[in-house]
């Protein structure tokens, strides 16, 4: 009797079961963590007060820039801009809550359209699945593009059909523009530490162009096409880097790598979800090795527990390599910012993780200006007053169970 075929079948069956178990384990652990964290967040919500800076203004040639680190201040400025609109309002957001702040934005847009302003709105369908669809019903003179949850090609893993619209942009009259990490909602107004920037002047074209390109590529036949006006102003030291999966363009990752590679003094990074890929991870370690002061500020506890645990899986190598990690306390820090050597700054919508850097539609401003960088470094130092540094000695004393959890979840890192 020839037993070889039977043994081969058994081996294949065993390998299949082992593979399924290996794939299921991290998903099961992630699901259990998510449920447990949801209970914990109900019992211990992230509602503590935190230090904030008043809006900070600098000038980059003919463009005035203002940094916002408190949501209520930002929303006041955005609503004021919409109320003063005479010609156009272009608003793009990832999450838009049906709450007091969300309804205020909705009504202000409706009022603008009623007085003859052309209003265009982009909202991500997936991010707002928990928001009643009726909330996004506007009068016909408000043009709404709901970026669809599912698109043809997604199930076939077509990269051009992947990604969410994670951007947050407001452009009014081609004169004033806003971009940054803030979504729209009452919770973000007072309970989250985030960063947005306001532009007034020629550089607003960078944000207008980002909105128009996305609108024209994604609109359906019922929505009007927007005019691409071009720009006679070139500011190589203030530009928008735009990730666009449909065009296979992902420059934000590149600007981070280039800036970190240039660093000779210091790198200050603030991130909500910090899961760097191999190249960014190695670039940070290389910078620390050559004597650069590399500091990363992240939430001690974010609103996505799985992202927290995936980030922690990289802490050992980063801390041993000289990267300093600071944990923001008792509140969610959601900013996506960095400064390098007191000259280079980025502010925008992209996290340092796979979803943002090689997946979603994102936009980050890249600004080379010492005065603005100094302002952002002041913000970073203020944030550190509400953070504690995680040392390698403290980290290596974590429980064995924590180490097992990090190992089990590590296969999910390429997905997030």
């Amino acid at each position: 009797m020839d037993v070889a075929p039977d043994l081969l079948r058994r081996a294949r069956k065993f390998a299949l079961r082992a593979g399924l178990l290996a794939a299921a384990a991290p998903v099961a652990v992630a699901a259990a963590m998510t449920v447990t964290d949801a209970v914990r967040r109900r019992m211990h919500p992230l509602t503590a007060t935190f230090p904030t800076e008043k809006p900070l203004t600098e000038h980059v040639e003919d463009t005035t820039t203002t940094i916002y680190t408190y949501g209520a201040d930002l929303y006041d400025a955005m609503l004021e801009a919409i109320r003063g609109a005479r010609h156009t309002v272009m608003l793009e957001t990832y999450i838009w809550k049906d709450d007091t702040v969300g309804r205020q934005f909705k009504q202000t847009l409706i009022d603008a359209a009623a007085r003859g302003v052309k209003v265009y709105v982009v909202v991500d369908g997936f991010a707002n699945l928990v928001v009643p669809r009726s909330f996004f019903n506007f009068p016909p003179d408000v043009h709404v593009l709901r970026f669809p949850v599912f698109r043809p090609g997604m199930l076939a893993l077509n990269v051009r059909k992947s990604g969410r619209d994670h951007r947050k942009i407001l452009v009014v009259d081609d004169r004033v523009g806003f971009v940054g990490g803030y979504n729209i909602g009452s919770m973000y107004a007072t309970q989250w530490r985030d960063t947005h920037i306001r532009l007034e002047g020629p550089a607003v074209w960078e944000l207008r162009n980002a909105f128009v390109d996305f609108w024209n590529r994604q609109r359906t036949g019922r929505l009007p096409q927007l005019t691409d006006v071009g720009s006679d102003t070139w500011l190589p030291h203030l530009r928008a880097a735009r990730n666009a999966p449909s065009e296979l363009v992902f420059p934000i990752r590149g600007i981070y790598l280039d800036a970190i590679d240039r660093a000779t003094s210091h790198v200050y990074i603030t991130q909500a979800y910090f899961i760097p890929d191999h190249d960014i991870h190695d670039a940070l370690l290389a910078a620390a090795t050559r004597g650069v002061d590399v500091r990363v500020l992240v939430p001690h506890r974010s609103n996505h527990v799985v992202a927290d645990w995936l980030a922690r899986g990289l802490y050992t190598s980063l801390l041993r390599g000289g990267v300093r990690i600071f944990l923001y306390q008792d509140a969610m820090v959601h900013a996506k910012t960095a400064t390098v050597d007191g000259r280079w700054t980025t502010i925008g919508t992209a996290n340092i993780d796979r979803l943002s850097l090689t997946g979603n539609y994102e936009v980050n401003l890249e600004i080379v200006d010492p005065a603005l960088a100094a302002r952002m470094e002041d913000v970073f130092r203020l944030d550190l007053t509400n953070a504690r540094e995680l040392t390698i000695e403290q980290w290596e004393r974590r429980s064995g169970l924590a180490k097992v959890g990090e190992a089990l979840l590590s296969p999910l890192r390429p997905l997030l």
Side-chain angles (χ1 to χ4, degrees):
M1 179 179 179
D2 189 356
V3 297
D6 185 55
L7 289 174
L8 184 59
R9 282 194 297 272
R10 291 183 181 181
R12 287 175 176 169
K13 185 180 293 185
F14 176 81
L16 178 61
R17 289 177 177 174
L20 291 174
L21 181 62
V27 175
V29 171
M33 284 183 173
T34 301
V35 172
T36 302
D37 187 65
V39 174
R40 182 175 67 166
R41 281 190 283 133
R42 286 181 176 273
M43 297 176 62
H44 305 287
L46 294 169
T47 57
T49 57
F50 48 87
T52 61
E53 184 66 88
K54 64 182 184 301
L56 305 169
T57 298
E58 291 292 341
H59 297 274
V60 182
E61 290 195 9
D62 294 331
T63 296
T64 301
T65 67
T66 305
I67 306 297
Y68 295 90
T69 61
Y70 190 58
D73 294 336
L74 170 69
Y75 294 154
D76 286 345
M78 293 173 71
L79 290 168
E80 181 183 5
I82 297 170
R83 292 185 185 113
R86 293 185 173 187
H87 308 292
T88 58
V89 173
M90 302 173 182
L91 175 65
E92 182 175 0
T93 190
Y94 183 60
I95 296 173
W96 190 344
K97 297 290 189 182
D98 179 8
D99 57 21
T100 301
V101 167
R103 289 188 289 272
Q104 189 176 12
F105 268 85
K106 179 178 180 178
Q107 188 59 53
T108 304
L109 292 169
I110 293 172
D111 293 344
R115 64 176 185 268
V117 176
K118 295 179 180 179
V119 178
Y120 307 92
V121 172
V122 178
V123 64
D124 187 85
F126 176 80
N128 294 284
L129 283 174
V130 297
V131 178
R133 194 175 181 91
S134 60
F135 176 71
F136 298 106
N137 292 337
F138 282 81
D141 50 358
V142 177
H143 305 290
V144 180
L145 191 165
R146 186 180 176 96
F147 192 59
V149 177
F150 296 106
R151 283 157 284 152
M154 287 184 68
L155 296 180
L157 302 180
N158 182 344
V159 176
R160 292 180 182 269
K161 301 297 182 181
S162 70
R164 307 310 317 163
D165 180 19
H166 192 243
R167 308 189 309 176
K168 299 95 178 172
I169 295 173
L170 172 64
V171 178
V172 177
D173 289 345
D174 298 349
R175 178 183 57 85
V176 178
F178 298 80
V179 69
Y182 277 102
N183 293 291
I184 297 176
S186 299
M187 174 176 64
Y188 314 123
T190 58
Q191 296 178 20
W192 283 31
R193 207 344 246 125
D194 212 329
T195 300
H196 236 69
I197 185 171
R198 177 184 187 269
L199 305 179
E200 184 173 3
V204 173
W205 177 86
E206 298 284 341
L207 301 179
R208 182 197 191 278
N209 192 50
F211 184 97
V212 168
D213 283 354
F214 182 87
W215 178 276
N216 286 341
R217 181 174 286 271
Q218 303 297 335
R219 73 183 181 91
T220 58
R222 64 181 180 80
L223 294 172
Q225 183 163 350
L226 297 179
T227 303
D228 185 353
V229 298
S231 174
D232 58 5
T233 300
W234 292 72
L235 289 179
H237 47 286
L238 199 171
R239 301 186 65 179
R242 299 177 291 154
N243 283 2
S246 62
E247 302 164 50
L248 300 180
V249 172
F250 302 100
I252 298 175
R253 179 176 179 272
I255 68 171
Y256 266 108
L257 284 169
D258 182 67
I260 295 167
D261 286 346
R262 291 175 184 272
T264 59
S265 173
H266 54 273
V267 174
Y268 298 158
I269 295 173
T270 302
Q271 283 287 305
Y273 319 110
F274 181 68
I275 314 173
D277 62 23
H278 177 78
D279 290 335
I280 294 179
H281 173 271
D282 286 359
L284 292 171
L285 291 179
T289 298
R290 63 177 180 269
V292 175
D293 179 10
V294 181
R295 305 185 185 195
V296 179
L297 175 67
V298 295
H300 180 250
R301 177 163 64 97
S302 83
N303 63 320
H304 289 301
V305 64
V306 175
D308 292 346
W309 277 79
L310 292 175
R312 291 168 192 162
L314 299 170
Y315 284 2
T316 299
S317 58
L318 291 169
L319 290 168
R320 286 178 178 172
V323 174
R324 300 175 67 183
I325 297 174
F326 295 83
L327 306 177
Y328 200 73
Q329 300 294 297
D330 302 322
M332 175 62 187
V333 59
H334 190 252
K336 299 95 167 57
T337 64
T339 61
V340 174
D341 288 357
R343 298 178 61 195
W344 180 91
T345 300
T346 187
I347 302 169
T349 70
N351 301 298
I352 297 182
D353 60 20
R354 191 210 63 81
L355 280 178
S356 279
L357 296 186
T358 57
N360 291 335
Y361 292 88
E362 307 278 3
V363 57
N364 269 47
L365 291 183
E366 180 183 32
I367 307 169
V368 182
D369 182 83
L372 181 67
R375 291 288 194 180
M376 289 301 295
E377 290 185 0
D378 288 342
V379 170
F380 188 83
R381 282 187 284 268
L382 181 63
D383 285 337
L384 290 187
T385 66
N386 193 55
R388 70 172 179 86
E389 184 169 5
L390 178 66
T391 66
I392 185 61
E393 293 78 18
Q394 294 168 339
W395 181 242
E396 290 185 338
R397 289 198 299 269
R398 71 194 186 285
S399 69
L401 185 60
K403 295 176 183 178
V404 171
E406 293 159 18
L408 286 173
L409 287 173
S410 62
L412 299 180
R413 196 172 294 135
L415 302 179
L416 299 181

